[in-house]
PDB file of all heavy atoms in Angstrom:
ATOM      1  N   ALA A 410      19.616  15.730  13.201  1.00 98.00           N
ATOM      2  CA  ALA A 410      18.552  14.700  13.276  1.00 98.00           C
ATOM      3  C   ALA A 410      18.675  13.648  12.176  1.00 98.00           C
ATOM      4  O   ALA A 410      18.499  12.397  12.395  1.00 98.00           O
ATOM      5  CB  ALA A 410      17.176  15.377  13.190  1.00 98.00           C
ATOM      6  N   TRP A 411      18.997  14.132  11.005  1.00 98.00           N
ATOM      7  CA  TRP A 411      19.133  13.264   9.828  1.00 98.00           C
ATOM      8  C   TRP A 411      20.258  12.212  10.112  1.00 98.00           C
ATOM      9  O   TRP A 411      20.048  11.011   9.815  1.00 98.00           O
ATOM     10  CB  TRP A 411      19.494  14.184   8.663  1.00 98.00           C
ATOM     11  CG  TRP A 411      19.494  13.688   7.304  1.00 98.00           C
ATOM     12  CD1 TRP A 411      19.014  12.470   6.823  1.00 98.00           C
ATOM     13  CD2 TRP A 411      19.968  14.460   6.130  1.00 98.00           C
ATOM     14  NE1 TRP A 411      19.162  12.463   5.449  1.00 98.00           N
ATOM     15  CE2 TRP A 411      19.712  13.638   4.998  1.00 98.00           C
ATOM     16  CE3 TRP A 411      20.500  15.689   5.997  1.00 98.00           C
ATOM     17  CZ2 TRP A 411      20.053  14.078   3.754  1.00 98.00           C
ATOM     18  CZ3 TRP A 411      20.891  16.112   4.695  1.00 98.00           C
ATOM     19  CH2 TRP A 411      20.648  15.296   3.581  1.00 98.00           C
ATOM     20  N   ARG A 412      21.382  12.702  10.636  1.00 98.00           N
ATOM     21  CA  ARG A 412      22.509  11.739  10.905  1.00 98.00           C
ATOM     22  C   ARG A 412      22.071  10.788  11.992  1.00 98.00           C
ATOM     23  O   ARG A 412      22.467   9.573  11.934  1.00 98.00           O
ATOM     24  CB  ARG A 412      23.783  12.533  11.356  1.00 98.00           C
ATOM     25  CG  ARG A 412      24.381  13.364  10.321  1.00 98.00           C
ATOM     26  CD  ARG A 412      25.599  14.140  10.736  1.00 98.00           C
ATOM     27  NE  ARG A 412      25.847  15.246   9.781  1.00 98.00           N
ATOM     28  CZ  ARG A 412      26.290  15.065   8.561  1.00 98.00           C
ATOM     29  NH1 ARG A 412      26.619  13.829   8.093  1.00 98.00           N
ATOM     30  NH2 ARG A 412      26.466  16.092   7.784  1.00 98.00           N
ATOM     31  N   ARG A 413      21.334  11.242  12.951  1.00 98.00           N
ATOM     32  CA  ARG A 413      20.911  10.336  14.101  1.00 98.00           C
ATOM     33  C   ARG A 413      20.066   9.181  13.466  1.00 98.00           C
ATOM     34  O   ARG A 413      20.173   8.074  13.859  1.00 98.00           O
ATOM     35  CB  ARG A 413      20.065  11.087  15.089  1.00 98.00           C
ATOM     36  CG  ARG A 413      20.906  11.829  16.163  1.00 98.00           C
ATOM     37  CD  ARG A 413      20.074  12.193  17.359  1.00 98.00           C
ATOM     38  NE  ARG A 413      19.005  13.103  17.118  1.00 98.00           N
ATOM     39  CZ  ARG A 413      19.149  14.435  17.038  1.00 98.00           C
ATOM     40  NH1 ARG A 413      20.330  15.014  17.206  1.00 98.00           N
ATOM     41  NH2 ARG A 413      18.070  15.194  16.781  1.00 98.00           N
ATOM     42  N   VAL A 414      19.125   9.537  12.541  1.00 98.00           N
ATOM     43  CA  VAL A 414      18.211   8.532  12.036  1.00 98.00           C
ATOM     44  C   VAL A 414      19.032   7.502  11.186  1.00 98.00           C
ATOM     45  O   VAL A 414      18.804   6.286  11.350  1.00 98.00           O
ATOM     46  CB  VAL A 414      17.147   9.184  11.146  1.00 98.00           C
ATOM     47  CG1 VAL A 414      16.274   8.141  10.357  1.00 98.00           C
ATOM     48  CG2 VAL A 414      16.192  10.052  12.020  1.00 98.00           C
ATOM     49  N   VAL A 415      19.918   8.035  10.315  1.00 98.00           N
ATOM     50  CA  VAL A 415      20.688   7.100   9.486  1.00 98.00           C
ATOM     51  C   VAL A 415      21.549   6.188  10.311  1.00 98.00           C
ATOM     52  O   VAL A 415      21.663   4.938  10.102  1.00 98.00           O
ATOM     53  CB  VAL A 415      21.495   7.910   8.404  1.00 98.00           C
ATOM     54  CG1 VAL A 415      22.450   7.026   7.676  1.00 98.00           C
ATOM     55  CG2 VAL A 415      20.525   8.584   7.408  1.00 98.00           C
ATOM     56  N   THR A 416      22.236   6.732  11.340  1.00 97.00           N
ATOM     57  CA  THR A 416      23.071   6.035  12.204  1.00 97.00           C
ATOM     58  C   THR A 416      22.243   4.955  12.947  1.00 97.00           C
ATOM     59  O   THR A 416      22.635   3.810  13.087  1.00 97.00           O
ATOM     60  CB  THR A 416      23.791   6.921  13.231  1.00 97.00           C
ATOM     61  OG1 THR A 416      24.350   8.033  12.500  1.00 97.00           O
ATOM     62  CG2 THR A 416      24.927   6.159  14.000  1.00 97.00           C
ATOM     63  N   LEU A 417      21.151   5.394  13.465  1.00 97.00           N
ATOM     64  CA  LEU A 417      20.297   4.463  14.194  1.00 97.00           C
ATOM     65  C   LEU A 417      19.858   3.326  13.371  1.00 97.00           C
ATOM     66  O   LEU A 417      19.866   2.121  13.725  1.00 97.00           O
ATOM     67  CB  LEU A 417      19.059   5.219  14.651  1.00 97.00           C
ATOM     68  CG  LEU A 417      18.003   4.468  15.544  1.00 97.00           C
ATOM     69  CD1 LEU A 417      18.583   4.252  16.899  1.00 97.00           C
ATOM     70  CD2 LEU A 417      16.729   5.298  15.670  1.00 97.00           C
ATOM     71  N   ALA A 418      19.435   3.635  12.097  1.00 96.00           N
ATOM     72  CA  ALA A 418      19.035   2.573  11.156  1.00 96.00           C
ATOM     73  C   ALA A 418      20.169   1.635  10.881  1.00 96.00           C
ATOM     74  O   ALA A 418      20.015   0.394  10.926  1.00 96.00           O
ATOM     75  CB  ALA A 418      18.483   3.188   9.935  1.00 96.00           C
ATOM     76  N   ILE A 419      21.422   2.179  10.606  1.00 96.00           N
ATOM     77  CA  ILE A 419      22.530   1.299  10.305  1.00 96.00           C
ATOM     78  C   ILE A 419      22.757   0.413  11.488  1.00 96.00           C
ATOM     79  O   ILE A 419      22.972  -0.807  11.323  1.00 96.00           O
ATOM     80  CB  ILE A 419      23.788   2.171   9.979  1.00 96.00           C
ATOM     81  CG1 ILE A 419      23.546   2.861   8.567  1.00 96.00           C
ATOM     82  CG2 ILE A 419      25.028   1.352   9.978  1.00 96.00           C
ATOM     83  CD1 ILE A 419      24.619   3.884   8.238  1.00 96.00           C
ATOM     84  N   ASN A 420      22.836   0.928  12.673  1.00 94.00           N
ATOM     85  CA  ASN A 420      23.074   0.081  13.834  1.00 94.00           C
ATOM     86  C   ASN A 420      22.045  -0.935  14.075  1.00 94.00           C
ATOM     87  O   ASN A 420      22.328  -2.057  14.692  1.00 94.00           O
ATOM     88  CB  ASN A 420      23.272   0.954  15.086  1.00 94.00           C
ATOM     89  CG  ASN A 420      24.545   1.711  15.096  1.00 94.00           C
ATOM     90  OD1 ASN A 420      25.565   1.257  14.395  1.00 94.00           O
ATOM     91  ND2 ASN A 420      24.599   2.926  15.679  1.00 94.00           N
ATOM     92  N   ALA A 421      20.793  -0.653  13.717  1.00 94.00           N
ATOM     93  CA  ALA A 421      19.731  -1.625  13.910  1.00 94.00           C
ATOM     94  C   ALA A 421      19.622  -2.572  12.759  1.00 94.00           C
ATOM     95  O   ALA A 421      18.691  -3.468  12.773  1.00 94.00           O
ATOM     96  CB  ALA A 421      18.411  -0.826  14.099  1.00 94.00           C
ATOM     97  N   GLY A 422      20.485  -2.468  11.713  1.00 94.00           N
ATOM     98  CA  GLY A 422      20.367  -3.345  10.590  1.00 94.00           C
ATOM     99  C   GLY A 422      19.191  -3.139   9.673  1.00 94.00           C
ATOM    100  O   GLY A 422      18.759  -3.985   8.954  1.00 94.00           O
ATOM    101  N   ILE A 423      18.676  -1.885   9.679  1.00 96.00           N
ATOM    102  CA  ILE A 423      17.535  -1.544   8.861  1.00 96.00           C
ATOM    103  C   ILE A 423      18.100  -0.681   7.753  1.00 96.00           C
ATOM    104  O   ILE A 423      18.684   0.409   7.981  1.00 96.00           O
ATOM    105  CB  ILE A 423      16.524  -0.673   9.635  1.00 96.00           C
ATOM    106  CG1 ILE A 423      16.010  -1.512  10.857  1.00 96.00           C
ATOM    107  CG2 ILE A 423      15.385  -0.193   8.758  1.00 96.00           C
ATOM    108  CD1 ILE A 423      15.265  -2.771  10.546  1.00 96.00           C
ATOM    109  N   SER A 424      17.914  -1.066   6.451  1.00 97.00           N
ATOM    110  CA  SER A 424      18.481  -0.275   5.376  1.00 97.00           C
ATOM    111  C   SER A 424      17.653   1.010   5.148  1.00 97.00           C
ATOM    112  O   SER A 424      16.446   0.928   5.037  1.00 97.00           O
ATOM    113  CB  SER A 424      18.598  -1.120   4.085  1.00 97.00           C
ATOM    114  OG  SER A 424      17.288  -1.598   3.740  1.00 97.00           O
ATOM    115  N   THR A 425      18.357   2.118   4.891  1.00 98.00           N
ATOM    116  CA  THR A 425      17.714   3.396   4.468  1.00 98.00           C
ATOM    117  C   THR A 425      18.439   3.871   3.293  1.00 98.00           C
ATOM    118  O   THR A 425      19.084   4.960   3.316  1.00 98.00           O
ATOM    119  CB  THR A 425      17.757   4.400   5.680  1.00 98.00           C
ATOM    120  OG1 THR A 425      19.063   4.524   6.157  1.00 98.00           O
ATOM    121  CG2 THR A 425      16.790   4.054   6.779  1.00 98.00           C
TER     122      THR A 425
END
Side-chain angles (χ1 to χ4, degrees):
W411 193 8
R412 291 181 200 288
R413 278 197 296 277
V414 171
V415 170
T416 311
L417 183 71
I419 288 171
N420 287 334
I423 302 297
S424 59
T425 50

